[in-house]
Amino acid sequence: MKIKVLDQFKDAKTLWLGLEQPELNQIRKVFQLITPETVGSKHIMAGITIFSPGEASSLHNHPGSEEMDVVIKGSGEVVDATGNRRPFKEGDFMFIPEGEYHQHVNTGDEPLWLLWCYSPQGYLPKD
């Protein structure tokens, strides 16, 4: 069967981001599930990132890729390159246009689980 069913933790390629500079409070764990390496995908890349309370991603972009996010658990804010902030909560969807700089911030008091998808396949920032 060509169809894949994946366990979000057991089958993912995992990586920690932001460990090099913990003082920036940008530590998060990434579970890459849909990638060329994990399932042979050709057009999309998807996974889950978990942020502890108060943690954030770096301000980053994905050149050449649009991004869709779904808030599975928790709440926070998305910040753009000019510092504009927009709150989000569990169940919300976000659309980030191709190449748009953005930052996800967990402003809540529980872990933030963010499901993300890039198309065409993008890359994750290395910080």
Side-chain angles (χ1 to χ4, degrees):
M1 177 180 260
K2 293 181 181 182
I3 297 169
K4 310 278 188 209
V5 176
L6 305 170
D7 179 283
Q8 60 191 349
F9 301 116
K10 292 180 188 173
D11 298 323
K13 176 184 170 191
T14 60
L15 61 143
W16 282 96
L17 296 177
L19 293 176
E20 300 80 24
Q21 295 181 291
E23 69 277 6
L24 296 178
N25 216 22
Q26 295 178 347
I27 298 170
R28 64 261 186 223
K29 189 159 189 183
V30 178
F31 299 87
Q32 295 177 322
L33 287 154
I34 309 297
T35 71
E37 296 81 24
T38 59
V39 298
S41 63
K42 295 179 183 178
H43 305 287
I44 64 171
M45 185 169 179
I48 296 172
T49 300
I50 299 176
F51 302 82
S52 291
E55 292 180 337
S57 68
S58 60
L59 182 66
H60 67 283
N61 73 341
H62 307 282
S65 297
E66 294 179 322
E67 179 175 348
M68 182 218 49
D69 301 318
V70 180
V71 183
I72 297 173
K73 184 186 289 190
S75 61
E77 293 179 330
V78 63
V79 184
D80 71 12
T82 59
N84 295 313
R85 304 173 88 84
R86 176 160 291 169
F88 59 76
K89 64 187 180 325
E90 191 170 313
D92 284 349
F93 281 65
M94 283 177 261
F95 172 73
I96 300 167
E98 177 181 334
E100 182 75 17
Y101 277 88
H102 59 284
Q103 178 182 37
H104 298 103
V105 182
N106 182 349
T107 58
D109 54 8
E110 67 176 330
L112 167 62
W113 289 34
L114 191 69
L115 178 129
W116 49 266
C117 178
Y118 313 138
S119 182
Q121 294 166 344
Y123 68 91
L124 287 174
K126 299 297 182 209
D127 53 357

